[in-house]
Structures are given as C-alpha cells and as structure tokens.
Amino acid sequence: MYTDQRDDLDEVTTALEAINQELKERMELALLGTNDGLWDWNILDNSVYFSPRWKEILGFGDDELSNEVASWSDRIHPDDVEETWADVHKNVNGETEYYENVHRLKHKAGHWVWILDRGKVHYNENGIACRMLGTHTDITEEKTMQLKYAHQAQIIEQVHDSVISTDLDGVILSWNKGSKTLLGYKANEMLGQHIRSIYLKEDYEALDNNIDLLKKRGKYRTVVRLVKKNGDIVYTELSLSLLRDEKENPIGMVGYAQDITERKRVEEELHIQRVNLQHQAYHDALTELPNRTLFNDRLEQAVEKAKRNSTLFALFFIDLDRFKQINDSLGHAVGDELLKVVTERLQATIRKEDTLARLGGDEFTIIIEDLSNAQDSSILAQKILEVLQQPIEIDAHILYVSSSIGISLYPQDDTNAGNLLKYADAAMYRAKEEGRNNFQFYSAEMTELALERLVMTTSMRQALKNDEFVIHYQPQVDAEKKVLIGMEALVRWQHPTRGLLSPIHFLPLAEETGMIIELDHWVMRTAIKQVAAWYAEGLEPGVLSVNLSMKQLEHPDFIRLVQETVETCNFKPQWLKLEVTEGQVMQKPEEAIAKLGQINALGIGISVDDFGTGYSSLASLKRLPINTLKIDRSFIIDVAEGTEDGAIVKAIIALAKSLELNLIAEGVETTLQKEFLLTNGCKNIQGYYYSRPVHGADIYAMLTNGPEQFASPSA
Ligand code: C2E
Ligand code: CA
Ligand code: CA
C-alpha cells in the first residue's frame, strides 16, 4: 500500500512543480479524500505551509498554529526527534529518493498522535535542495492495534502453556515457546506442518469429528493426548477457538493446550484408592474372593441375565468337611492357609466366567452360568470333590479335607435368587447327611440321575481300556440270489456287572460326553481289521457297513482317520460303507455334503440309515453324494399289500430307482415282509429273518459254510 501512495506522492510533487496557489488548493481538495494533511517546506527561507487538515490531525484550527517549522518539530516525541531529522536529512542530501518516517506528535490535548510522514525533496535549476513537500497520515489507530497485537503475541510467546494457531485446513501458522516446552518441537520444525502430526491418531480423529461443533459454537474444549517429539504422550486440556477476520468469517483456529498429565496421574491414583476401598468392601480379605455382599449382587445379576437370555445356571454351595476340627486343633493360621489353598484349587477348577465367592468361614459358593445342560454341573461337582480331596500340605502337616456340595438350578428349582441360595444350602446339608464328600442337587431325582450318568461316564472310559466293548455283525443278504452281500457292525458293551448292554443304553451318553468319537473309531478299526482278515483268508464277507455319529462326521480329523485305517489294514475302499442318518446330514447340510463328498471320492460308499423317518426333501437328496437308501424298520413291521406302510415302502423303492440308488430294507423278520419287498423290487435285506447281529466267530462259520447258508430263514 505504501508504494501506491508513493506513486500518488510523485504525482502530487510533479503537479506542484510550478508553485501555484490554485493548484495547491486543488491538491488539498484531492488529499481531503484521503484524510491526509499536507506540508510544503521552503528550505531556502525555512517557511512552511501546513494545510488545515495537517493542523486538524493535531487538534488545532487553521489559525491556531503558525506556519513555521517549529510548529512541527517542537511537537515531536523526544524519543523520535533524532531519527526523524536523520531521515529528513538523508532525503535532502539525496541519499534517499523519498523521505518516510513514523513518529509521534503531541496533540493539542496532550496525548501523542502517531504520524506516518512522507515527502520528497526538490532541487532548483542549480541543483540546490530548495523545497520539500509531503503529507501526514494519522496512523494512531493502526499503531495502537499493531502494538496491542505485538503485545499479545509477546504474551502468547511467553506463556508456559502451548498456543498453536492453524488455518482452517489445520496447517500450523504459529507455534509458541510453550508448545516447544510441551512437545519438544521448535517453531521452525512445525510451521507449515499439519496439526494432526502432534495428536494421537484416535484422538485426532475424535477431534476432527467435532470440528463442526467448533465452527458452530466458536469454541470447543476437550482432553486430548498429544505426542511429543520423543514419542512420549502428554494428556492436555485443549481449548480451541475459531479465529475470525474483521467480517467475522472464520479464517483459522487457535488451540490452547495445558499439560494435565500430572493431574491425570493424581486422578488415577485417587481412582485406584477408591477402587481399592471398594474392593475391600466387596471382597474377603483372606482369599480376595467376592464376599457375601458382592456374591448376592452377582447372583441377582445372574438371575436377570438368565431370564433375559433364557439360559440355565447352577448355584453351588460348598462346605468343607472337618474344617472346624483343623482350625481348633492346629490354630487359625493353619486354617487360613488351608482356606487359601482351597480357594486356589477351586479357582483352577472352574471357568473364568464363573463366580466363586466366600460367604464366610469355610463356606464357598459358585455361580455357573450358561449351562447347556443342568446335569453338566454334576461333572463339575465331581471334579471339585476330587480336587478338594487331594491332601494339602501346610507347615509340615498333611491335611485331608473333603467337601460337601449342594446344587440348586435356575430355573428348575426357583427363579428367585434368595431361594436358590437357600435351596443350595439345604442340598449341601443333605450331602453332609449322606456321609460327606458328595454332592446333592436340591431335588433328589436330579442327584440320582446325575450319579448314574457319572458312573456310566467314568466306567465307559474304563471299558475302552479294558476291552469291554464288542462288535456284533449282522448279515445283509441278497434275497433273490440268497447270498451274503455284506454286514453291519453293531457295538455292544460287555459290562462286568450288568451283562451285555445294547447301544441304546450307552450311546446317547457317549454322544453327549464326546466319548463317541473314540468309541466309533475303535469300532471302525476293529471291524475293518476283522473283515480284512476274512478277505485275506479268501472268504467273501461282502461290504462292511459302519455307523457314523454326527460328532464323528464333524470331527476335523475324520477323513484322515478313515483313510489311515483303510490303508493300514490294506482294506479296499469299496469294501466299506458308512451309514449316516438323514437327521445328521440335514443339521449342517453344506458341511455334511462336503465331507461325504470327500469320503465318496475315496471310493467308500455312503448309506442313508433309517430312511423315511427324517425330512429329506427330494431336492436335498439329489445333492447328497450317497449310494444307498436303508428303509427304516418302522415301515417294515406292518408292511403288506394295501397298507399305508406298504404304500410308503413302494414309494421309497420307486424313489431309489429314479435316483439310481441301491436299496436295503432293515428289520425284516418274517417271510411276508421278505416276499413283499422282493415282489416290489427291494431284494437286499437285513433282519432277524436271516440273522440277528452275531459274534465274528459266527460270521466266520457262515462264511466257511458255503453259499446255501441263506436259502432258508434263521431259526
Ligand atoms: P441301526 O443302525 O438302525 O441298527 C439297526 C438296529 O436294528 C440294531 O440294533 C439291530 O440289532 C436292530 N435290528 C436288526 N434287525 C432287526 C430285526 O429284524 N428286528 C428288530 N426288532 N431289530 C433288528 P442295535 O444293535 O441295538 O443298535 C441300535 C442303534 O445303535 C443302531 O441303529 C445304530 O444307530 C446305533 N449303533 C449301533 N452300533 C453303533 C456304532 O458302532 N456306532 C454308532 N455310532 N452307532 C451305533
Ligand atoms: Ca445302521
Ligand atoms: Ca437303521
């Protein structure tokens, strides 16, 4: 802006080359618009002309100030005199093209007026400086503003806290000393950088999301984490405000950040103290377990949660047997140690999500949530009994404690927390009455059922080791040709006290406990070995059918296992057929189809067992990689011409034909049934009509007896 005015000045000077009063007045008129005062100094006679506006700037009327240099020079602020005259002389001496100086002049009222003084010297034809002409601009207002800003900037620079300004895009425009102290970066490292570089990423993102709020309100306060140059993180309280231009348009942001790391630390400490106090109020000092108050709270919560999600939970009430004796005879210190060991053992036995609490003395409770099966709690109870039975060594004493456990179940026994606790307690007393070291459900039937299951589960594990399982083989016969075409392997348990057990008595439990995987694997291995041995002898046992449980099919190792077994026994894949039920396949059809496909690819056949009892649609049946349908026994029992079952069996036969599947009927006992099947096109038959499932030795006899074996029904 100064250059523009300089050009103006040039024009003014040229215009006034010829001293012409009229021109001067015109000039003044022109200057009036700019609000500047005019001065015209005749150097030769030292007279000077001051325009009315010149005098007005200093508060004087036109006739109140005489036209002499002193009217100006006497009013200059003592601090400015020297420099002002120096600048004048430089121009007069020709050192500068223009004269320009800012100085203060005393106003009539006594205060100082800031003047921007500009002018230019003129020479006469002899080259002597004869005249100087110029203008005065009142810049007091600008100057005070400037000073104010300079002041503020100085203050900002000096404050200990960080003050950073940016443009609207977040590019850093200013960076004070406090910012350097806080973050370790110098201003020159940060100017022009984006502000995001000093924030922790997620904090910047959170802040960025609130920029609209800042724009709306003009101010925004928050706590953010900034990252120092050395990578440390500082907590700061940040006040952001919008910078606006004189027209109130936002032009940038200024952030004022105070280090609150220390405050945060103190707050945290207080918080920890508070938490500790709370912990003390809700926990048992000896074992650190939840105390009765917290336990009651958790029990209420468990009820709420189970109600909401329709789930089951069990509440255990555990009391140590003979704890009082130990406490009385060996002292409290030993008793305390014992309780600690018991706590550790219990904690190691339960899941993390179960709540273990100590109600006082030697009474513990456990809330076991999300039970899939109410009876599963019996397995845990048994485990706890075993764990607590182990001897405990304290100070050279070897202590034997056992425990009595009472169990109540939500929602079976009650849906009220208080009642559940009462019932578990009552059940615990019954356990004591039953001779200690046992568990009892609140309802007596539950206890019996659980015990039976437990006994079965443990003895089943034992049975595998002791070789108590046996396989019976049931022949499958081509009724037309009257020859053996294969056999189904069926497992039995030769129980040491209960005699030969049918699979219906132990398979459901084996499924539940997962033992079925081991058991089925054993059956498959044993049967394959057996049949392979017969083949090796030159006999013709036909195709071996093995039943497959759902769990087995789901097992990731299953395919590998089948393959391995077949290979190690030198068993041809086409000698093997696996039986699955519709239900097993339809639970997870995609998975099952993939697995069965893999089995099929090995050359092993797949048969749909109990066919007709499930809900397979024709469409899904077509997608299954199967070879055989096995008509369920329930349709065979009453099968005859004209009956409903007869119609169903005919339909199944037609279906198998259209899908090009093999067929076999199971559970055939009578000649009538056999004839019906033969007449209608199902010639493969398995059932008591030909043979019950029998020992391998009996099969061996059949195989060696020759082909007339199945000419007539079994006895
Ligand atoms: P399933 O696969 O349907 O086996 C046929 C069942 O019908 C066998 O009972 C067999 O003894 C019986 N049965 C055969 N012919 C006749 C007959 O003419 N009349 C009558 N009333 N019954 C006959 P079992 O051996 O008690 O097996 C029952 C079920 O247990 C089997 O049904 C099968 O689902 C399962 N199972 C047997 N062994 C195993 C095995 O090793 N693994 C797996 N996962 N399941 C097996
Ligand atoms: Ca079967
Ligand atoms: Ca069957």
Side-chain angles (χ1 to χ4, degrees):
M1 101 183 195
Y2 287 156
T3 31
D4 283 355
Q5 290 190 352
R6 242 181 221 154
D7 291 345
D8 293 347
L9 201 66
D10 260 349
E11 276 166 36
V12 171
T13 321
T14 335
L16 289 180
E17 209 77 337
I19 312 162
N20 180 316
Q21 188 55 35
E22 199 185 304
L23 259 180
K24 199 185 265 177
E25 275 166 13
R26 229 186 267 163
M27 262 330 292
E28 267 170 32
L29 220 60
L31 280 172
L32 215 60
T34 70
N35 228 9
D36 287 349
L38 177 79
W39 51 267
D40 185 357
W41 177 31
N42 185 330
I43 299 173
L44 300 177
D45 67 4
N46 207 23
S47 70
V48 63
Y49 165 79
F50 297 118
S51 74
R53 171 62 191 151
W54 190 102
K55 293 173 184 167
E56 193 193 13
I57 291 174
L58 298 177
F60 293 98
D62 193 19
D63 46 9
E64 279 183 289
L65 267 184
S66 56
N67 283 340
E68 51 183 340
V69 174
S71 295
W72 168 67
S73 58
D74 285 357
R75 314 198 74 80
I76 302 178
H77 190 287
D79 291 351
D80 300 341
V81 173
E82 202 177 316
E83 205 186 295
T84 307
W85 275 116
D87 284 347
V88 170
H89 287 134
K90 271 183 205 154
N91 192 236
V92 172
N93 297 340
E95 285 169 48
T96 52
E97 198 178 341
Y98 297 99
Y99 155 73
E100 183 172 309
N101 179 271
V102 172
H103 55 264
R104 283 160 288 183
L105 295 180
K106 195 175 216 126
H107 192 270
K108 184 182 174 186
H111 59 264
W112 296 102
V113 180
W114 282 94
I115 297 294
L116 168 64
D117 193 6
R118 284 168 303 183
K120 186 174 165 70
V121 73
H122 293 267
Y123 303 95
N124 63 15
E125 53 278 15
N126 305 324
I128 295 166
C130 61
R131 179 177 181 208
M132 210 173 162
L133 189 74
T135 57
H136 268 191
T137 313
D138 181 354
I139 57 164
T140 311
E141 207 171 312
E142 268 173 57
K143 199 70 191 173
T144 15
M145 283 302 264
Q146 221 177 333
L147 278 176
K148 204 169 109 191
Y149 284 140
H151 234 106
Q152 278 176 354
Q154 214 175 350
I155 291 169
I156 285 174
E157 188 55 28
Q158 292 314 315
V159 289
H160 293 298
D161 300 319
S162 153
V163 181
I164 301 166
S165 67
T166 68
D167 64 14
L168 284 176
D169 294 329
V171 175
I172 298 172
L173 300 178
S174 78
W175 183 271
N176 74 338
K177 238 187 232 158
S179 304
K180 178 180 174 280
T181 319
L182 182 71
L183 298 168
Y185 295 105
K186 290 194 194 105
N188 60 5
E189 291 177 276
M190 294 313 288
L191 295 180
Q193 301 285 331
H194 197 277
I195 192 75
R196 104 165 52 80
S197 61
I198 64 166
Y199 283 89
L200 205 66
K201 192 162 171 285
E202 57 261 43
D203 284 14
Y204 180 76
E205 278 159 14
L207 186 71
D208 202 36
N209 288 334
N210 284 312
I211 287 294
D212 284 341
L213 213 66
L214 166 66
K215 285 187 180 157
K216 212 183 300 167
R217 293 190 193 154
K219 273 199 179 84
Y220 183 73
R221 271 171 92 97
T222 180
V223 170
V224 290
R225 286 164 298 176
L226 302 181
V227 185
K228 289 173 136 177
K229 191 176 181 179
N230 66 9
D232 286 354
I233 285 172
V234 259
Y235 277 88
T236 63
E237 194 169 76
L238 175 71
S239 309
L240 276 180
S241 32
L242 217 49
L243 289 173
R244 298 177 195 275
D245 64 10
E246 60 279 4
K247 285 183 188 135
E248 290 291 304
N249 296 316
I251 51 165
M253 287 166 272
V254 57
Y256 176 87
Q258 260 178 307
D259 186 350
I260 55 161
T261 311
E262 178 61 16
R263 194 175 90 199
K264 262 279 196 280
R265 196 185 58 75
V266 173
E267 274 173 8
E268 217 126 275
E269 239 162 52
L270 275 173
H271 177 73
I272 291 169
Q273 271 174 20
R274 214 174 300 132
V275 169
N276 279 346
L277 276 175
Q278 220 167 12
H279 187 86
Q280 279 165 26
Y282 292 109
H283 291 80
D284 163 38
L286 177 69
T287 60
E288 292 286 309
L289 291 178
N291 61 13
R292 187 183 286 271
T293 316
L294 182 55
F295 164 76
N296 284 336
D297 203 51
R298 294 268 173 91
L299 185 58
E300 296 282 358
Q301 281 174 25
V303 167
E304 288 309 315
K305 200 172 133 202
K307 223 174 251 174
R308 222 173 22 245
N309 306 336
S310 310
T311 48
L312 319 174
F313 75 82
L315 173 59
F316 280 27
F317 200 111
I318 306 170
D319 192 280
L320 301 181
D321 304 326
R322 284 187 302 275
F323 176 73
K324 198 173 146 24
Q325 273 162 269
I326 292 170
N327 222 11
D328 289 350
S329 55
L330 300 174
H332 288 288
V334 174
D336 283 356
E337 279 313 301
L338 178 79
L339 290 174
K340 280 193 204 168
V341 175
V342 166
T343 303
E344 276 165 28
R345 289 189 182 178
L346 288 174
Q347 255 160 349
T349 313
I350 61 176
R351 300 169 305 174
K352 261 211 309 292
E353 55 269 35
D354 299 332
T355 301
L356 170 65
R358 181 177 168 226
L359 300 196
D362 59 344
E363 291 176 345
F364 294 85
T365 49
I366 308 175
I367 304 167
I368 299 124
E369 289 183 86
D370 294 324
L371 270 184
S372 58
N373 179 328
Q375 291 173 350
D376 277 357
S377 50
S378 61
I379 295 170
L380 179 64
Q382 184 60 35
K383 243 197 252 170
I384 290 175
L385 290 177
E386 279 162 22
V387 158
L388 295 186
Q389 244 176 330
Q390 306 303 315
I392 297 175
E393 206 183 316
I394 295 168
D395 295 348
H397 302 289
I398 298 199
L399 307 174
Y400 292 89
V401 275
S402 56
S403 55
S404 300
I405 305 174
I407 305 171
S408 65
L409 297 168
Y410 173 99
Q412 263 107 312
D413 295 333
D414 212 293
T415 53
N416 171 279
N419 286 345
L420 286 168
L421 182 60
K422 213 162 62 194
Y423 294 160
D425 191 17
M428 185 275 291
Y429 272 101
R430 254 225 339 275
K432 292 254 182 219
E433 283 164 16
E434 292 290 319
R436 298 161 197 258
N437 196 25
N438 76 103
F439 66 87
Q440 294 291 329
F441 283 95
Y442 173 64
S443 55
E445 319 89 78
M446 274 294 266
T447 309
E448 265 160 48
L449 229 105
L451 279 177
E452 193 186 327
R453 275 170 47 95
L454 262 177
V455 168
M456 277 288 253
T457 315
T458 28
S459 50
M460 211 157 29
R461 287 228 158 76
Q462 215 50 49
L464 254 181
K465 284 188 201 137
N466 298 350
D467 263 343
E468 287 170 18
F469 289 104
V470 286
I471 299 175
H472 285 187
Y473 301 87
Q474 185 173 33
Q476 296 172 335
V477 177
D478 179 335
E480 216 171 60
K481 296 186 185 137
K482 303 188 172 64
V483 292
L484 181 77
I485 52 165
M487 60 196 71
E488 179 176 6
L490 295 158
V491 70
R492 276 100 185 80
W493 180 359
Q494 188 64 57
H495 196 276
T497 55
R498 296 168 66 183
L500 192 68
L501 292 182
S502 144
I504 51 164
H505 286 117
F506 57 88
L507 280 189
L509 192 60
E511 284 260 7
E512 251 179 68
T513 57
M515 249 205 66
I516 187 79
I517 292 182
E518 249 175 289
L519 183 60
D520 268 358
H521 187 210
W522 177 85
V523 171
M524 187 162 68
R525 225 174 34 227
T526 315
I528 283 180
K529 257 190 214 155
Q530 173 66 84
V531 176
W534 290 328
Y535 270 115
E537 251 186 76
L539 301 170
E540 286 294 333
V543 176
L544 168 69
S545 286
V546 176
N547 291 287
L548 208 60
S549 74
M550 180 70 191
K551 278 236 168 71
Q552 183 88 352
L553 195 63
E554 282 176 349
H555 200 272
D557 256 2
F558 175 64
I559 305 281
R560 195 182 56 78
L561 237 135
V562 175
Q563 202 171 2
E564 227 173 69
T565 318
V566 168
E567 275 166 15
T568 49
C569 297
N570 249 330
F571 204 70
K572 288 194 184 147
Q574 64 266 28
W575 293 343
L576 185 61
K577 189 177 275 184
L578 299 178
E579 294 195 358
V580 291
T581 63
E582 289 171 77
Q584 286 174 348
V585 175
M586 288 310 151
Q587 267 179 35
K588 287 177 187 165
E590 298 311 321
E591 235 179 276
I593 288 170
K595 282 239 166 135
L596 296 179
Q598 282 172 281
I599 295 171
N600 230 349
L602 293 175
I604 296 168
I606 291 155
S607 169
V608 179
D609 204 354
D610 304 344
F611 187 75
T613 58
Y615 300 93
S616 326
S617 66
L618 201 57
S620 59
L621 213 56
K622 270 161 86 175
R623 292 177 55 210
L624 287 178
I626 52 174
N627 323 85
T628 307
L629 295 186
K630 199 167 184 184
I631 307 173
D632 191 59
R633 191 173 82 90
S634 58
F635 302 114
I636 304 299
I637 297 172
D638 292 325
V639 84
E641 202 53 59
T643 61
E644 196 182 329
D645 285 341
I648 292 174
V649 169
K650 280 188 197 173
I652 295 176
I653 294 171
L655 178 70
K657 290 235 160 83
S658 78
L659 291 176
E660 294 178 347
L661 295 172
N662 296 323
L663 257 183
I664 183 164
E666 70 179 342
V668 177
E669 298 183 354
T670 66
T671 316
L672 216 74
Q673 292 165 340
K674 186 203 74 167
E675 286 305 322
F676 179 90
L677 289 161
L678 256 185
T679 320
N680 286 290
C682 173
K683 57 185 171 64
N684 296 333
I685 277 163
Q686 175 183 351
Y688 295 174
Y689 177 77
Y690 285 115
S691 169
R692 291 181 173 257
V694 293
H695 273 287
D698 297 325
I699 296 282
Y700 183 77
M702 288 178 199
L703 290 172
T704 46
N705 270 355
E708 308 81 46
Q709 190 65 218
F710 299 104
S712 56
S714 66

